[in-house]
Amino acid sequence: MKRNIYLRTIPIEEALTRAKDALDREALLTVERIGAERAAGRITAEPVMARYSSPTYHSAAMDGIAVRAADTFLAREGSPVRLLTGDGFVFVNTGHPLPSAFDAVIMIENVVMDGDTATIESPVAPFTHVRRIGEDIVATEMILPRHRRISAYDVGALLSCGAYDVDVYEQVRIRVIPTGDEVMDFTSRPAPGPGQVVESNSMLLCALADEWGMACQRVAPIRDDPDALAAALEEGLNSDAHIVVIVAGSSAGSKDFTRATIERVGEVLVHGVAAMPGKPSLLGVARGKLVVGAPGYPVSSVVCFERLLYPLACWLSRAEPKTRQTVAATLARSVPSRIGMVDFVRLAVGQVGDEYVALPLSRGAGSISTMTKAQAVTQLPPEAEGLESGATVTAELLVDAGELARTLVCVGSHDNTLDILADRLMRGDPPMRLASSHVGSMGGLIALRNGASMLAGTHLFDPESGDYNFPFLAKYLPGLDVTVVNLAIRHQGLIVAPGNPKGITGIADLARDGVRYLNRQRGAGTRILFDHHLAKSGLTPDRISGYDREEHTHMAVAVNVKTDAADCGLGVFAAAKALGLDFVPLARERYDLVIPAAYRDDQKIAAVFAVVGSEAFKEQVRALGGYETDWSGRIMAPGMGLPGEPAA
Amino acid sequence: MKRNIYLRTIPIEEALTRAKDALDREALLTVERIGAERAAGRITAEPVMARYSSPTYHSAAMDGIAVRAADTFLAREGSPVRLLTGDGFVFVNTGHPLPSAFDAVIMIENVVMDGDTATIESPVAPFTHVRRIGEDIVATEMILPRHRRISAYDVGALLSCGAYDVDVYEQVRIRVIPTGDEVMDFTSRPAPGPGQVVESNSMLLCALADEWGMACQRVAPIRDDPDALAAALEEGLNSDAHIVVIVAGSSAGSKDFTRATIERVGEVLVHGVAAMPGKPSLLGVARGKLVVGAPGYPVSSVVCFERLLYPLACWLSRAEPKTRQTVAATLARSVPSRIGMVDFVRLAVGQVGDEYVALPLSRGAGSISTMTKAQAVTQLPPEAEGLESGATVTAELLVDAGELARTLVCVGSHDNTLDILADRLMRGDPPMRLASSHVGSMGGLIALRNGASMLAGTHLFDPESGDYNFPFLAKYLPGLDVTVVNLAIRHQGLIVAPGNPKGITGIADLARDGVRYLNRQRGAGTRILFDHHLAKSGLTPDRISGYDREEHTHMAVAVNVKTDAADCGLGVFAAAKALGLDFVPLARERYDLVIPAAYRDDQKIAAVFAVVGSEAFKEQVRALGGYETDWSGRIMAPGMGLPGEPAA
């Protein structure tokens, strides 16, 4: 296996400078003359001068009579001035040109007509109610400076003053070439098999380019074949594209190909940037064009597109890069970071009380869902070793700021009913958004304790008391006044393959040879439940093969069973049903939502209560299977246990 | 003249509610199924579930060997574990599926190969360097909620998990019908004559719609003919447009037509909103579609489009309206406002020291240039009678926030050389923006005194001392440490029609019958200059016909002379030359830039100094005609007077 030798990774700013120094943008991006009516979003190459004034002539701004101001100076209440039609005044409507003999307009409401005579009782100053020549724009003045991104308003101004054609820089054109033996072309709507992925970075870039006002064209994926890739790059360089992007596959071989292919026809200037994700990004120049080697992992690709390609594309077209709105947010969990690299951390952000709270999402560079679930991104600088919980971060918003006030962050245990809650909240008026941070039940309670969340989802069973959640609230959140409301009663059990091929009937079977268990993470209510039942059956963790293999959600456990990566895991019935798996019931448990009293009256919490108690919600939950909704929406108290069982 | 009877004007919120109550959006905007790859910007109609997991199988996240974690637990430095190929390990590259016998990956760097044996010296936990099934997305989970505006990242996620087609709301389609006898169709590139305007609001709306992700189609302007307008509306309602917009001409008759035309086929719900500009906006419903009557004045039209049409269009498609970023800014001049109306005030905004300073622009609803020159807009609420200088306003940004730090506001006297300065600043690296507030020389000095500006342009002549600017600085800004740098020496004189038909040779001729003078506004350096020369010639203001008619810029004076709205005005040679007018020289004067010492080292001010002292700038200024650049960029001191004249 040939090792890929990286150049020293360099900071993003240095990478951009190297590329700019090697490109001749005057030669690469030409100027074109286009009609002003379709110039919105384009960048002016020269200042634009007005051809005509606007208005072109003095005109009446009101309906009334045009007069000479000097004729009215003696008019007073009780001592009116009379003007004769023709010589003294004429009627005008708004927009009519002002006859040159006159220099002011009196509103018709202030005129008393008597045959041909107009009587007025107060004087007017020159230019009263007159829209003056050039009041808006004067011929020959500079209407737009150079290097201006033409706005919709600018289009209006350009047409108003007769600047019908404008010199603008070409629209930046990008060609993107996805590559990789493992990538499948989405156009055939494929079902990915082992080691295969549906190629998506190219269309993500096309969608970004559209936002940026740039053109982007994608070609079908190229296999990891040096000659095929060279041919595709050649075609891209010969096209009218200014920038050619090669998206790497994820294999080691694929990464080598991109660099070598560029070096056949040009020069690689940057191979590796000090950014995570995004490190294995390449920048090169070939035949005067910019060539970008984007990493295969989706989030790495996004960093490459947004932090390298976009600034360079803006520089080419003299466009001012758009910056995202930022808010200051308090970090609710500590975040590690790499020294010497900028870490791009995706965040779930919501309002808690008066401040914004940020919860870091997974760091996986391959997880595009961290971009779809995030409300913001923050950059941890190279010198940082990480940030502690409670630190303030600058959160670059991926959503509209107005949304944050209606975004509720729920921290805690994952459950499919949270998706139903999220969907019903979106149907409300106004719609509310639910952002979830799945850190397990204990993580949720700790978030509440730290003031990092308004809502926690938890299903912690206390074997000693036989009660749910309250014993943990008493132990870990003493003194915090909370409201506990039930979301649903869930059925937990052992998720097994269809037909239960290994004949698993209970916990005891997990100690058998050849039975591979898959556990949940520490702090998860499901894990605590498993440990309880494990102890009840007289077994210890070391007896269970796979006890130390951990997944973070019910669905992940189910998927592992479905693909035969595990034989069995404890999870909710809903997860088994969703994937067509069999289910060996083990226990019922209570999944509650915990809300600090301080937020009880918040609009977002009120919406949650309304949804959780609604029949529509309960119906959808029951349809999932494996849930009971008798207590959904009901306020819980210590010792209530479960419906139908004696109080704890 | 038929008077137009307005319904009571109502607040914008109430207008929106009336329209929503009268529209059935379920019926009007249907749902369509489109490919995910082209769904960016569209709104999901239903939650979208993942079809496939991503990754689909456990795969190696690094290049190395796949092992069973349990086999490695005893490995230690000095006490290695040896694994045999095939049964104990296999080689894997990043992205390869993990064979089901193994559950962890060891990086190749940490493996010592010896023939078929791999030797390792430290243990690994299960799932180390393994990208797990469903780590990103799990089949059947909710990947996007309903009513989600699909982002570029969402497109990536949808394709990754096989959600190849999505149900989204139709794209909103708008048809815009410009009307008015006075409007000219820009497509013929016309030259507007008396009482004519080039129609532009329709293309402004089309450009806005494009930003909003909506479709917009414009038809050629319709004359003020009730039957023609009715036919155009009929065609619009029969088309696939969801919203039909009729843009009024500015005449009284035109406004009547819109309402009557809608009432022929539907119902007018709103006629008049409590907003300035924007008041004469109409909202109606006809055949289940929204009909909008937009005012003819450009800025009124913008308010109608952005505050009425846009929120309703978003509501139709369940889109979250985008909000602009806001900054808190200090108002540098008091602003009047109408009680009972929301006033939309356009602002020039720049950074002065650590804060943002806002200068209100003209309130003219017909002046589209107030939208092109503004960096922000603020809303003065209905209960406000106005705001005092020094008040804090919420400025909704029309430009990217990053631009503001590089936007320099110059307050004071207008001069064409400021356009050259602005253009050269835009050529710098980084480019700097110059926003001008033309309030005359005295207004500029007062702005400096109030800390409202970093830069003032002034050309105030003091007859007593014969010096420029310094006497006024001493009188009005005592104690403020400033740097004064010369921009240029200007030639001022009487601007007259070509051929000087009235034979004006000097100030004395202005007292003749039939000579119409046009003055500059109080506080303008040019007015002060005129008053000085008037006194020198022994005349008084009452002897000058037109002394009380005022314009605010040299160019406006010149345009008045060009269109025979005045015979003569005092102005700079450059203005006369620009419009092909004759010029009777009167005086040379010094135009300086004044900068408080506190800002001397600001990056923006440094850029100004660099430009003003540059040969390129001086060349462009001399090319205008009527300027001398011997002192351009030179620091001025009291008593320097003018080049070539004895010191004052």
Side-chain angles (χ1 to χ4, degrees):
Chain A
M1 259 177 313
K2 194 171 142 215
R3 297 302 309 144
N4 198 13
I5 313 297
Y6 278 96
L7 292 174
R8 185 178 58 88
T9 63
I10 58 176
I12 288 173
E13 275 312 307
E14 193 184 324
L16 296 176
T17 302
R18 279 195 196 178
K20 290 177 188 176
D21 289 347
L23 287 162
D24 180 355
R25 63 177 175 176
E26 319 273 324
L28 180 56
L29 220 77
T30 61
V31 174
E32 58 178 350
R33 198 160 176 76
I34 65 173
E37 73 279 5
R38 57 186 195 90
R42 306 294 289 277
I43 314 294
T44 57
E46 299 288 334
V48 184
M49 306 310 184
R51 188 169 188 181
Y52 306 120
S53 297
S54 174
T56 47
Y57 287 79
H58 293 318
S59 57
M62 293 282 173
D63 304 332
I65 59 172
V67 299
R68 267 181 302 277
D71 289 349
T72 74
F73 287 169
L74 297 176
R76 296 285 179 277
E77 212 177 310
S79 177
V81 163
R82 289 178 180 79
L83 301 167
L84 278 175
T85 187
D87 183 57
F89 76 92
V90 292
F91 286 110
V92 287
N93 274 352
T94 306
H96 284 185
L98 195 71
S100 57
F102 304 111
D103 64 3
V105 169
I106 300 177
M107 287 168 61
I108 198 65
E109 289 91 336
N110 298 337
V111 179
V112 177
M113 289 305 304
D114 181 16
D116 282 342
T117 306
T119 304
I120 53 172
E121 288 201 312
S122 60
V124 286
F127 287 143
T128 299
H129 295 316
V130 172
R131 280 202 70 217
R132 295 181 262 192
I133 299 158
E135 182 178 88
D136 186 11
I137 299 166
V138 173
T140 79
E141 75 166 89
M142 183 176 80
I143 191 80
L144 295 182
R146 76 177 60 228
H147 299 178
R148 162 86 157 215
R149 185 195 304 271
I150 295 171
S151 70
Y153 315 132
D154 294 344
V155 170
L158 289 169
L159 294 177
S160 295
C161 73
Y164 297 121
D165 299 284
V166 285
D167 291 316
V168 295
Y169 289 102
E170 283 187 288
Q171 191 185 34
V172 172
R173 289 183 293 270
I174 302 165
R175 170 172 290 214
V176 55
I177 304 167
T179 71
D181 282 335
E182 78 286 3
V183 306
M184 309 177 84
D185 193 341
F186 72 87
T187 54
S188 61
R189 282 154 169 57
Q196 293 180 312
V197 296
V198 180
E199 196 282 314
S200 62
N201 292 335
S202 62
M203 296 316 295
L204 192 158
L205 175 57
C206 285
L208 284 176
D210 192 64
E211 277 178 47
W212 300 336
M214 303 178 189
C216 188
Q217 190 187 43
R218 171 221 199 233
V219 301
I222 308 285
R223 299 278 141 252
D224 283 334
D225 169 61
D227 295 327
L229 187 50
L233 177 57
E234 186 70 28
E235 208 176 297
L237 293 173
N238 289 338
S239 77
D240 64 0
H242 304 104
I243 304 174
V244 181
V245 182
I246 299 171
V247 185
S250 49
S251 72
S254 189
K255 295 176 199 137
D256 285 327
F257 290 154
T258 305
R259 177 175 180 166
T261 307
I262 298 175
E263 285 176 331
R264 273 162 81 152
V265 290
E267 186 189 352
V268 168
L269 305 160
V270 174
H271 190 182
V273 287
M276 296 285 286
K279 178 176 161 189
S281 299
L282 279 94
L283 293 178
V285 175
R287 310 233 189 94
K289 298 188 172 189
L290 175 64
V291 183
V292 179
Y297 279 166
V299 186
S300 294
S301 217
V302 166
V303 172
C304 176
F305 296 154
E306 295 187 339
R307 312 286 171 170
L308 293 172
L309 192 159
Y310 178 61
L312 288 172
C314 284
W315 174 80
L316 282 180
S317 60
R318 282 68 160 190
E320 180 85 35
K322 288 183 188 168
T323 60
R324 292 182 173 129
Q325 186 173 347
T326 61
V327 297
T330 308
L331 209 52
R333 254 200 340 272
S334 67
V335 174
S337 76
R338 296 269 302 266
I339 290 226
M341 308 284 255
V342 170
D343 287 77
F344 291 96
V345 180
R346 287 81 75 201
L347 306 169
V349 179
Q351 237 181 313
V352 178
D354 285 332
E355 59 172 11
Y356 292 116
V357 172
L359 288 131
L361 300 176
S362 158
R363 307 296 279 280
S367 291
I368 189 62
S369 66
T370 62
M371 294 303 306
T372 62
K373 289 178 174 152
Q375 281 75 48
V377 169
T378 192
Q379 300 185 38
L380 268 53
E383 59 272 14
E385 267 184 300
L387 279 183
E388 290 303 312
S389 174
T392 302
V393 292
T394 299
E396 301 172 25
L397 296 183
L398 303 178
V399 300
D400 194 85
E403 272 188 42
L404 286 188
R406 284 181 286 105
T407 298
L408 183 56
V409 179
C410 181
V411 187
S413 177
H414 176 258
D415 188 77
N416 285 356
T417 52
L418 289 181
D419 282 351
I420 295 173
L421 173 59
D423 183 55
R424 296 222 67 87
L425 286 171
M426 282 302 288
R427 298 197 204 206
D429 183 21
M432 295 285 169
R433 284 168 171 68
L434 187 71
S436 300
S437 176
H438 305 311
V439 292
S441 297
M442 279 308 303
L445 297 192
I446 289 167
L448 287 186
R449 186 178 69 191
N450 295 343
S453 181
M454 295 170 85
L455 185 65
T458 171
H459 61 103
L460 294 164
F461 175 68
D462 176 49
E464 275 190 44
S465 60
D467 194 16
Y468 290 85
N469 299 319
F470 282 97
F472 297 85
L473 289 170
K475 181 173 179 186
Y476 294 102
L477 277 69
L480 183 66
D481 189 10
V482 298
T483 301
V484 180
V485 61
N486 180 246
L487 192 71
I489 306 300
R490 314 197 293 189
H491 296 175
Q492 291 255 26
L494 299 169
I495 300 175
V496 296
N500 198 355
K502 297 210 172 167
I504 295 165
T505 58
I507 295 264
D509 291 313
L510 301 182
R512 283 170 21 209
D513 273 342
V515 173
R516 301 162 299 160
Y517 184 69
L518 180 57
N519 208 349
R520 287 290 306 278
Q521 82 280 15
R522 255 159 284 243
T526 303
R527 182 173 175 126
I528 291 172
L529 188 73
F530 180 71
D531 286 340
H532 168 64
H533 284 272
L534 194 65
K536 260 174 75 174
S537 59
L539 289 165
T540 47
D542 61 290
R543 298 281 310 278
I544 311 296
S545 169
Y547 180 90
D548 49 1
R549 291 178 70 194
E550 297 175 1
E551 274 296 355
H552 284 71
T553 68
H554 301 284
M555 291 303 289
V557 167
V559 165
N560 272 269
V561 171
K562 186 162 183 73
T563 55
D564 198 33
D567 293 313
C568 169
L570 184 64
V572 290
F573 172 78
K577 180 185 173 201
L579 299 187
L581 301 165
D582 278 14
F583 184 77
V584 180
L586 197 72
R588 293 159 77 217
E589 61 166 8
R590 213 173 78 204
Y591 186 108
D592 296 335
L593 296 174
V594 184
I595 301 116
Y599 307 125
R600 191 72 168 74
D601 297 324
D602 185 276
Q603 182 191 30
K604 299 186 279 297
I605 296 296
V608 168
F609 274 108
V611 166
V612 170
S614 73
E615 196 46 49
F617 171 77
K618 295 177 194 177
E619 246 184 76
Q620 276 184 263
V621 168
R622 289 193 299 267
L624 286 174
Y627 289 97
E628 300 164 33
T629 58
D630 299 334
W631 283 5
S632 297
R634 187 167 153 183
I635 307 293
M636 299 285 103
M640 283 177 74
L642 291 174
E645 286 184 14
Chain B
M1 264 176 308
K2 200 174 137 209
R3 297 304 309 144
N4 198 13
I5 314 298
Y6 277 95
L7 292 173
R8 185 177 57 87
T9 63
I10 59 176
I12 288 173
E13 275 312 306
E14 193 184 326
L16 296 176
T17 302
R18 280 193 194 180
K20 290 176 187 175
D21 288 348
L23 288 162
D24 180 354
R25 62 178 174 175
E26 318 276 324
L28 181 56
L29 220 78
T30 61
V31 173
E32 56 177 351
R33 199 161 174 75
I34 64 173
E37 73 279 5
R38 58 185 195 90
R42 305 295 289 277
I43 314 294
T44 57
E46 300 288 334
V48 183
M49 307 311 185
R51 188 170 187 179
Y52 306 119
S53 297
S54 174
T56 47
Y57 287 80
H58 294 317
S59 56
M62 293 281 173
D63 303 333
I65 58 172
V67 300
R68 266 180 302 275
D71 289 349
T72 74
F73 286 169
L74 298 175
R76 298 283 180 278
E77 211 175 310
S79 176
V81 161
R82 289 179 180 77
L83 303 167
L84 279 174
T85 188
D87 183 57
F89 77 90
V90 291
F91 285 111
V92 287
N93 273 352
T94 306
H96 284 185
L98 196 70
S100 56
F102 304 112
D103 64 2
V105 168
I106 301 177
M107 287 168 63
I108 197 66
E109 289 91 335
N110 298 337
V111 179
V112 177
M113 290 305 303
D114 179 19
D116 281 342
T117 306
T119 304
I120 53 172
E121 289 201 312
S122 60
V124 286
F127 287 144
T128 300
H129 295 315
V130 172
R131 278 201 72 217
R132 294 181 264 192
I133 299 160
E135 180 178 89
D136 185 12
I137 299 166
V138 173
T140 78
E141 78 167 85
M142 182 176 82
I143 190 81
L144 296 183
R146 76 177 61 227
H147 299 179
R148 162 84 157 214
R149 184 195 305 271
I150 295 171
S151 70
Y153 315 131
D154 294 344
V155 170
L158 290 168
L159 295 176
S160 293
C161 73
Y164 296 122
D165 299 283
V166 285
D167 291 318
V168 295
Y169 289 103
E170 283 186 288
Q171 191 186 35
V172 172
R173 290 183 292 271
I174 301 165
R175 171 172 289 214
V176 56
I177 305 167
T179 72
D181 284 334
E182 78 286 4
V183 305
M184 309 176 84
D185 193 341
F186 72 86
T187 55
S188 61
R189 285 156 167 55
Q196 292 181 312
V197 296
V198 181
E199 197 281 315
S200 62
N201 292 334
S202 62
M203 297 316 296
L204 191 158
L205 176 58
C206 284
L208 284 176
D210 194 63
E211 276 178 48
W212 300 336
M214 303 177 189
C216 187
Q217 190 188 42
R218 170 221 200 232
V219 301
I222 307 286
R223 297 281 142 248
D224 282 335
D225 170 62
D227 295 327
L229 187 51
L233 176 57
E234 186 69 28
E235 210 177 298
L237 292 174
N238 290 338
S239 77
D240 64 0
H242 304 105
I243 302 174
V244 181
V245 181
I246 298 171
V247 185
S250 49
S251 72
S254 189
K255 294 175 199 140
D256 285 326
F257 290 154
T258 304
R259 177 172 179 169
T261 307
I262 298 174
E263 284 177 331
R264 274 162 81 151
V265 290
E267 186 190 354
V268 167
L269 305 159
V270 175
H271 191 182
V273 288
M276 296 285 286
K279 178 176 162 188
S281 299
L282 280 94
L283 293 176
V285 175
R287 312 236 188 95
K289 299 189 173 190
L290 175 65
V291 183
V292 178
Y297 278 165
V299 185
S300 294
S301 218
V302 165
V303 172
C304 176
F305 296 153
E306 294 187 339
R307 312 287 173 170
L308 293 171
L309 192 160
Y310 178 61
L312 288 172
C314 284
W315 173 80
L316 283 179
S317 60
R318 282 68 159 191
E320 181 85 34
K322 287 183 188 169
T323 60
R324 292 179 173 132
Q325 185 172 347
T326 62
V327 297
T330 307
L331 209 53
R333 251 196 348 267
S334 66
V335 175
S337 76
R338 297 269 303 266
I339 291 227
M341 308 284 255
V342 171
D343 287 77
F344 290 96
V345 181
R346 286 82 76 200
L347 305 168
V349 179
Q351 238 182 312
V352 178
D354 286 331
E355 59 171 13
Y356 292 116
V357 172
L359 288 131
L361 299 177
S362 157
R363 307 294 280 279
S367 291
I368 189 62
S369 65
T370 62
M371 294 302 307
T372 63
K373 289 178 175 152
Q375 282 74 48
V377 170
T378 191
Q379 298 185 37
L380 269 52
E383 60 272 15
E385 268 184 298
L387 278 183
E388 290 302 311
S389 174
T392 303
V393 293
T394 300
E396 299 172 26
L397 296 183
L398 304 177
V399 301
D400 193 85
E403 272 188 42
L404 287 188
R406 284 181 285 105
T407 298
L408 183 57
V409 179
C410 181
V411 186
S413 178
H414 176 259
D415 188 77
N416 285 357
T417 51
L418 289 180
D419 283 352
I420 296 174
L421 173 59
D423 183 54
R424 296 224 65 88
L425 285 170
M426 283 300 289
R427 298 198 205 205
D429 184 19
M432 294 285 168
R433 284 169 173 68
L434 186 72
S436 298
S437 175
H438 305 312
V439 291
S441 296
M442 278 307 303
L445 296 190
I446 288 166
L448 288 186
R449 187 178 68 191
N450 295 343
S453 182
M454 294 170 84
L455 184 66
T458 171
H459 60 104
L460 294 165
F461 176 67
D462 175 50
E464 274 189 48
S465 60
D467 194 15
Y468 291 84
N469 299 320
F470 283 97
F472 297 85
L473 289 170
K475 181 174 180 186
Y476 294 102
L477 278 69
L480 183 65
D481 189 10
V482 297
T483 301
V484 180
V485 59
N486 180 244
L487 191 70
I489 305 303
R490 313 197 295 188
H491 295 175
Q492 291 256 25
L494 298 170
I495 299 176
V496 296
N500 197 355
K502 297 209 170 166
I504 294 163
T505 59
I507 295 264
D509 290 313
L510 302 182
R512 283 170 22 208
D513 273 342
V515 174
R516 300 162 299 160
Y517 185 69
L518 180 58
N519 210 348
R520 287 291 306 279
Q521 82 281 16
R522 253 160 285 242
T526 302
R527 182 173 176 127
I528 291 172
L529 189 70
F530 181 71
D531 286 339
H532 168 64
H533 285 272
L534 194 65
K536 260 175 73 176
S537 60
L539 289 165
T540 47
D542 59 291
R543 300 281 310 278
I544 310 297
S545 169
Y547 181 90
D548 48 1
R549 293 178 68 195
E550 297 176 3
E551 276 294 357
H552 283 70
T553 68
H554 300 283
M555 290 304 289
V557 167
V559 166
N560 272 269
V561 171
K562 186 164 182 73
T563 56
D564 196 32
D567 293 313
C568 169
L570 183 65
V572 290
F573 172 77
K577 180 187 173 201
L579 299 187
L581 301 167
D582 278 13
F583 182 78
V584 180
L586 198 72
R588 294 158 76 220
E589 60 167 7
R590 215 173 75 203
Y591 186 107
D592 295 336
L593 296 174
V594 183
I595 301 113
Y599 307 125
R600 191 69 169 77
D601 297 323
D602 185 277
Q603 182 192 29
K604 299 184 280 296
I605 296 296
V608 169
F609 274 108
V611 166
V612 171
S614 73
E615 197 47 47
F617 172 76
K618 296 177 193 177
E619 246 185 75
Q620 275 183 263
V621 167
R622 288 193 300 268
L624 286 175
Y627 289 96
E628 300 165 33
T629 57
D630 298 334
W631 284 5
S632 297
R634 186 166 155 184
I635 307 292
M636 299 285 104
M640 283 178 74
L642 290 173
E645 286 183 13

